[in-house]
């Protein structure tokens, strides 16, 4: 009987699958998760296909599959999705498949957890550390060894010593309680007539079998979340699974609470901050169908759902959905692809849809479900522009007199104010007043950002940092260093001077130590224990602050001057979202835009609350330039340890580009950020018509290109979102 052979896809940066023999008596089929030898190590892979015609030369050299893991197999729709993503993005199939296995770690049966309990007499030799452990365990409860050591502030060896002396006993910890399913009827909401109509359309969408895409297009505070919860409820009733993607799940504690209020339990979470044990447990719950609703970051799209019935993409416009390392993919677009392959509906939700989604809704490819007004009759914020050319702040200050006066009145009325500046740290640049020396990163083409809270100068691109000096390294002048421009830390300093009685808090990713700290700070704001919030774009991501009625954007022009084709769209979305935090529950919200360009189309559209005018002009400009969604783009980024190698390879690559009337190759040109982490960067931008097979063109081009050697690397980014 001929030996059975299967092709196994392993989580390495290769497109091909490896052939392995099937041990006698072992039943293997495509989708099975297996352990196989790869070189000198064992790796976890997935059986991708039956190999009916193995190469004869491999007969005596073929290794066998080591083990079939006791986990559910990957379904055909997920394997097709992996192939599709790999083909479209030019990422290797192995690296895309790796995301479905959570990087290939911790799979298999859950390990037995051991705990310790106080059972015997105190030891003869007592120390302060041992006394703390005995005091902690005096209640007789069983605790995990690591948790007991952490709570008592001791090392694991102290626990081991007490076990050896018979004071503590080791016992098996009980298994985690089974996950409680969400209850679709737990707390059905009281909708407004407008919301009821939208909710009915959501239930209708979820009840149908087959692929469709709907856009919930609602202003901030209109109840979009509660409306798409009705689609989730319908999926729960059908006994299927729903995925809710969020741009930054680690910061959305409020969302999880809202879900629990509606459905009685929290959903399963999926993001990078989960512990390995929790990730393994959640992965298995998804794969065996125990987890009915998953709320996750973009990587949750690659989980092996047992019976996926719905995908929701919340804040679909958010640029955090773009994966910028490894496999370059956009989770919103890939969610639509997975919905199409799995034949399930997809819901996109946003107050400021991406231009691509807006065009799809206008042309009828996506169904638009509109929520044009806020829940409870609350008004949309009134927006005013403050022309800094006429009403600018005094020298050395960044808050203009009109904005300062508005914040003062808000604090006096015991309302909250938000000062928004999308710039971390104290100041973006430090220079010497004596000689003009500017502090820049040693290995990046970027200035060092002053972080006064940490007393360091930091590069935001590579993480390099140095203590903040008091002497100029160029001219040795003392106390001559000046901070140029504001960051949120400097803004807090100014707010403390202008409003000494107010309680302030800075929300910035630099100051977050962990998820729980962030959620605690957001709860403090929601409970009204902060008067003035000073924040970066973190504050624009779906948070609800009941007492917040005033938003002041300190530098509304910040995102408009970087040459990015998406600059206007991103600025409009960000400012609309952040001002939308105001006036959601009580009072009338007001937003102030400090700008040097009040005549800019983005500022005019925001002040006039004329969203349609902005989209009309932006769509017309994109169509005229044949930019997405009316054309396609891909970026090729060449980098090397020295400039000549990077530039030389980029030029050779450009010369080998196939000639095609549907394609324009621009460059190579030095990237706007020319050096990052000591690597010199050159970019080529490839532009094609919408219907053209750009991925196929790139694949043929790169097949004929020279291979990268030494320090050279080549990254391909299909549908780039960043142009730095």
């Amino acid at each position: 009987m001929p030996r059975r052979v299967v092709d196994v896809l392993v989580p390495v940066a290769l497109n091909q699958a490896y052939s392995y023999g099937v041990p006698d008596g072992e039943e293997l089929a495509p989708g099975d998760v297996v352990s196989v030898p790869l070189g000198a190590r064992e790796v976890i892979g997935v059986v991708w296909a039956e190999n009916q015609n193995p190469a004869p030369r491999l007969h005596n050299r073929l290794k066998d599959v080591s083990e079939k893991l006791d986990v559910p197999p990957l379904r055909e729709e997920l394997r097709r999705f992996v192939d599709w993503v790999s083909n479209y993005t030019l990422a290797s199939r192995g690296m895309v498949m790796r995301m479905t296995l959570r990087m290939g770690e911790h799979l298999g049966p859950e390990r037995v957890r051991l705990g310790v309990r106080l059972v015997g007499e105190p030891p003869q030799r007592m120390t302060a550390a041992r006394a703390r452990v005995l005091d902690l365990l005096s209640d007789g409860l069983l605790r995990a060894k690591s948790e007991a050591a952490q709570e008592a502030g001791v090392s694991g060896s102290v626990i081991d010593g007490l076990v050896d002396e018979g004071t503590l006993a080791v016992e098996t910890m009980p298994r985690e309680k089974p996950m409680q399913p969400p209850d679709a009827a737990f707390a059905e909401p009281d909708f407004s007539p407008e919301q009821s109509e939208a909710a009915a359309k959501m239930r209708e969408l979820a009840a149908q079998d087959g692929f469709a895409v709907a856009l919930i297009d609602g202003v901030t505070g209109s109840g979009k979340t509660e409306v798409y919860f009705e689609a989730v409820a319908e999926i729960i009733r059908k006994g299927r699974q729903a995925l809710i993607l969020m741009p930054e799940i680690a910061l959305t504690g409020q969302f999880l609470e809202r879900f629990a209020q509606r459905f009685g339990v929290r959903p399963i979470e999926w993001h990078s901050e989960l512990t390995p044990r929790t990730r393994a447990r959640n992965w298995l719950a998804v794969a065996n169908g125990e987890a009915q609703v998953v709320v996750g970051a973009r990587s949750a799209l690659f989980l092996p759902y047992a019976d996926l019935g719905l995908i929701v993409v919340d804040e679909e416009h958010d640029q955090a959905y773009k994966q910028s390392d490894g496999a370059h993919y956009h989770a919103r677009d890939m969610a639509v692809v997975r919905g199409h392959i799995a034949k399930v509906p997809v819901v996109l939700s946003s107050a400021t849809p991406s231009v691509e989604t807006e065009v799809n809704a206008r042309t009828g490819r996506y169904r638009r479900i509109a929520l044009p007004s806020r829940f409870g009759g609350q008004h949309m914020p009134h927006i005013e522009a403050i022309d800094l050319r006429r009403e600018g702040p005094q020298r050395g200050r960044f808050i203009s007199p009109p904005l300062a006066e508005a914040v003062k009145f808000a604090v006096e009325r015991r309302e909250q104010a938000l000062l928004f500046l999308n710039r971390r740290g104290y100041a973006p640049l430090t220079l010497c007043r004596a000689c003009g020396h500017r502090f820049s990163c040693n290995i990046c083409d970027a200035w060092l950002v002053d972080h006064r809270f940490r007393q360091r100068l930091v590069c935001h691109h590579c993480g390099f940092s140095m203590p903040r000096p008091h002497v100029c390294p160029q001219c040795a002048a003392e106390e001559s260093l000046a901070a140029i421009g504001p960051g949120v830390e400097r803004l807090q300093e100014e707010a403390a001077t202008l409003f000494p009685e107010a309680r302030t808090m800075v929300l910035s990713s630099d100051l977050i130590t962990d998820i729980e700290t962030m959620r605690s700070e957001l709860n403090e704001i929601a409970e009204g224990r902060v008067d003035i919030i000073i924040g970066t774009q973190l504050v624009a991501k779906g948070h609800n602050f009941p007492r917040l009625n005033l938003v002041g954007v300190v530098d509304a022009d910040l995102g408009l001057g970087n040459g990015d084709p998406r600059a206007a769209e991103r600025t409009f979305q960000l400012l609309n979202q952040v001002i939308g935090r105001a006036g959601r529950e009580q009072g009338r919200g007001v937003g102030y835009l400090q700008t040097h360009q009040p005549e800019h189309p983005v500022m005019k559209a925001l002040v006039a609350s004329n969203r349609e005018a902005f989209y009309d002009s932006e769509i017309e400009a994109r169509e005229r330039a044949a930019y997405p969604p009316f054309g396609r783009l891909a970026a090729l980024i060449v980098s090397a340890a020295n400039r000549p190698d990077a530039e030389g390879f980029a030029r050779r690559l450009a010369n080998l580009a196939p000639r095609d009337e549907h394609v324009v190759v621009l460059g190579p040109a030095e990237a706007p950020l020319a050096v990052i982490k000591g690597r010199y960067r050159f970019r080529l931008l490839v532009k094609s018509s919408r219907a053209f097979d750009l991925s196929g063109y790139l694949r043929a081009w790169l097949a004929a290109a020279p291979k990268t050697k030494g320090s050279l690397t080549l990254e391909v980014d299909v549908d780039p979102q960043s142009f730095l």
Side-chain angles (χ1 to χ4, degrees):
M1 182 176 178
R3 186 183 186 190
R4 276 189 67 205
V5 176
V6 292
D7 291 338
V8 176
L9 193 60
V10 292
V12 296
L14 291 172
N15 252 335
Q16 70 186 66
Y18 286 103
S19 297
Y20 288 90
V22 178
D24 291 339
E26 185 73 79
E27 290 295 327
L28 289 179
D32 285 339
V33 182
V34 295
S35 175
V36 294
L38 185 67
R41 60 195 176 107
E42 287 281 324
V43 300
I44 292 172
V46 177
V47 177
W48 218 247
E50 188 93 19
N51 190 332
Q52 302 288 357
N53 299 298
R57 61 186 175 81
L58 296 178
H59 180 71
N60 294 325
R61 297 162 47 197
L62 212 57
K63 296 180 180 179
D64 281 352
V65 170
S66 302
E67 178 188 8
K68 175 183 174 182
L69 299 189
D70 186 20
V71 297
L74 302 194
R75 292 162 56 90
E76 182 190 3
E77 62 93 359
L78 177 53
R79 302 198 306 276
R80 287 176 56 203
F81 179 59
V82 168
D83 286 338
W84 198 99
V85 173
S86 171
N87 182 66
Y88 184 81
T89 65
L90 273 69
S92 63
R93 279 196 303 168
M95 295 307 289
V96 178
M97 189 276 294
R98 186 181 182 189
M99 293 188 285
T100 73
L101 299 181
R102 303 160 23 277
M103 306 307 174
E105 300 166 355
H106 309 292
L107 282 181
E110 186 173 339
R111 61 183 173 84
V112 175
R113 298 178 66 217
L114 299 178
V116 290
R117 191 196 303 272
L118 180 62
V119 294
E121 296 298 321
Q124 292 185 352
R125 188 177 67 83
M126 182 64 73
T127 64
R130 286 182 163 189
R132 290 198 300 274
V133 174
L134 297 186
D135 182 58
L136 174 70
L137 298 175
S138 61
D139 55 13
L141 297 178
L142 182 66
R143 284 179 174 80
K145 176 183 169 182
S146 59
E147 293 170 6
Q150 185 177 5
E151 288 186 49
V154 301
S155 66
S157 61
V158 175
I159 305 290
D160 292 336
L162 290 170
V163 170
D164 292 341
E165 297 207 25
T167 304
L168 304 181
V170 177
E171 300 178 19
T172 301
M173 296 281 289
R175 289 188 174 274
E176 300 277 351
K177 292 182 179 179
M179 296 175 183
Q180 294 299 309
D183 181 0
F186 181 78
E188 296 183 349
D190 182 19
F191 284 133
S192 68
E194 193 176 74
Q195 290 176 323
S196 291
E197 183 179 347
K201 292 176 181 176
M202 280 287 97
R203 287 189 288 268
E204 176 190 335
L205 180 77
Q208 72 182 38
D209 291 323
F211 169 71
V213 183
L215 166 65
I216 300 182
D217 183 2
V219 299
T220 53
S222 60
K224 295 184 293 296
T225 302
E226 284 72 19
V227 166
Y228 73 62
F229 274 173
E230 292 309 293
V232 174
E234 186 64 30
I235 293 299
I236 292 170
R237 293 187 191 100
K238 294 173 71 174
R240 304 187 71 186
Q241 292 173 300
L243 163 64
I244 302 175
L245 288 178
M246 308 203 76
E248 296 198 37
I249 182 64
L251 308 178
T252 51
Q254 287 184 348
F255 177 88
L256 300 176
E257 288 303 320
R258 289 167 73 180
F259 186 95
Q261 290 167 10
R262 171 64 180 86
F263 296 107
V265 295
R266 282 191 166 211
I268 295 297
E269 291 183 59
W270 187 266
H271 52 79
S272 60
E273 298 294 326
L274 297 178
T275 64
R277 188 168 62 85
T278 301
R279 287 171 71 84
R281 187 172 67 247
N282 289 0
W283 190 94
L284 284 170
V286 169
N288 62 29
E290 185 182 355
Q292 273 200 274
V293 181
V294 177
V295 175
R298 56 181 180 253
S299 60
L301 189 60
F302 293 87
L303 287 173
Y305 298 92
D307 187 14
L308 184 61
L310 173 73
I311 302 174
V312 178
V313 185
D314 200 3
E315 306 289 357
E316 63 85 27
H317 65 276
D318 199 294
Q319 58 184 319
Y321 282 123
K322 177 69 177 187
Q323 173 76 23
S324 57
D325 54 9
H328 294 255
Y329 68 91
H330 197 298
R332 177 200 63 224
D333 299 341
M334 296 305 105
V336 173
V337 171
R338 183 154 193 190
H340 184 267
I341 292 173
K343 297 181 174 57
V344 301
V346 178
V347 175
L348 310 178
S349 174
S350 178
T352 53
S354 63
V355 170
E356 288 86 347
T357 298
E358 176 67 20
V359 170
N360 281 327
R362 290 188 177 193
T363 56
R365 290 188 65 193
Y366 296 172
R367 179 182 182 185
R368 190 194 302 269
I369 298 172
L371 291 169
S373 57
R374 284 185 160 180
F375 179 71
Q378 288 298 112
H379 294 286
M380 292 299 295
H382 170 71
I383 302 175
E384 295 182 18
I386 298 173
D387 190 343
L388 293 178
R389 298 170 299 187
R390 294 184 299 167
E391 298 181 282
Q394 60 181 300
R395 187 178 179 84
R397 294 282 177 87
F398 304 95
I399 301 173
S400 65
L403 179 56
E405 192 70 16
V407 173
K408 179 184 175 185
F409 286 152
V411 172
E412 288 174 351
R413 291 195 302 267
R414 302 187 62 79
E415 296 176 347
Q416 288 174 324
L418 166 63
L419 295 175
F420 174 78
L421 177 62
N422 201 22
R423 187 181 276 151
R424 295 174 286 161
Y426 183 85
L429 172 65
T430 300
L431 60 75
C432 173
R433 286 190 295 258
C435 70
H437 173 71
R438 301 184 178 196
F439 285 82
S440 60
C441 180
N442 293 334
I443 55 176
C444 293
D445 184 19
W447 308 122
L448 293 179
V449 178
D450 186 355
H451 285 255
R452 291 287 171 90
F453 291 176
R454 294 158 56 187
Q455 288 296 306
R456 299 189 74 82
L457 300 181
V458 181
C459 174
H460 285 173
H461 300 285
C462 71
F464 168 80
S465 71
M466 59 180 284
R468 189 173 184 276
H470 298 285
V471 176
C472 174
Q474 191 78 16
C475 68
E478 297 184 7
E479 304 303 329
S480 65
L481 304 183
I484 307 300
V488 285
E489 294 176 14
R490 192 170 195 173
L491 212 54
Q492 185 188 41
E493 185 178 271
E494 183 174 341
T497 302
L498 291 173
F499 319 107
E501 303 301 319
R503 298 164 296 178
T504 63
M505 177 183 286
V506 175
L507 285 182
S508 170
S509 58
D510 293 285
L511 306 175
I512 298 172
T513 55
D514 53 55
I515 295 174
E516 293 308 316
T517 300
M518 183 65 185
R519 291 178 177 173
S520 172
E521 290 178 345
L522 291 172
N523 286 335
E524 281 189 52
I525 296 171
E527 292 166 5
R529 287 182 276 162
V530 176
D531 299 313
I532 301 175
I533 308 144
I534 298 152
T536 62
Q537 62 183 357
L538 284 182
V539 298
K541 295 185 181 293
H543 309 302
N544 186 32
F545 305 135
R547 289 180 51 208
L548 178 63
N549 281 339
L550 171 68
V551 173
V553 179
V554 174
D555 187 352
D557 307 325
L558 186 58
L560 293 173
N562 59 11
D564 189 329
R566 301 180 189 271
E569 177 190 6
R570 284 182 177 153
T571 300
F572 177 81
Q573 289 166 340
L574 181 59
L575 298 186
N576 195 300
Q577 292 280 337
V578 73
I579 292 173
R581 300 305 105 203
R584 293 166 71 96
E585 292 200 10
Q586 54 189 353
R588 178 72 188 269
V590 180
Y592 290 96
L593 302 171
Q594 291 193 165
T595 175
H596 288 92
Q597 308 175 69
E599 70 286 348
H600 194 285
V602 170
M603 304 305 158
K604 290 170 69 175
L606 287 168
V607 170
S609 297
N610 192 346
R611 196 187 80 163
E612 293 306 306
F614 169 75
Y615 279 115
D616 288 345
S617 64
E618 190 68 11
I619 289 170
E620 182 186 356
R622 296 272 187 97
E623 189 169 15
R624 193 167 55 245
Y627 276 164
F630 303 101
R632 295 193 58 201
L633 295 175
L636 279 66
I637 303 99
V638 177
S639 65
N642 61 75
R643 181 190 169 101
D645 283 355
E647 184 174 11
F649 186 87
R651 293 194 182 282
R652 289 197 301 276
L653 190 63
N655 290 334
L656 290 170
R659 305 299 178 211
D660 193 297
E661 62 180 354
H662 299 99
V663 179
V664 176
V665 178
L666 304 172
E670 199 170 51
L673 279 173
V675 186
I676 294 182
K677 299 182 181 178
R679 297 186 62 81
Y680 292 79
R681 306 167 70 242
F682 280 79
R683 289 173 57 95
L684 295 97
L685 192 64
V686 188
K687 183 178 172 186
S688 77
S689 59
R690 184 69 200 168
F692 184 73
D693 180 11
L694 184 57
S695 297
Y697 173 88
L698 293 171
R699 195 172 294 103
W701 179 8
L702 297 182
K707 303 303 179 188
T708 55
K709 296 179 181 178
S711 68
L712 275 166
T713 61
L714 171 62
E715 286 185 71
V716 179
D717 186 0
V718 178
D719 301 334
Q721 298 292 305
S722 171
F723 291 83
L724 296 178

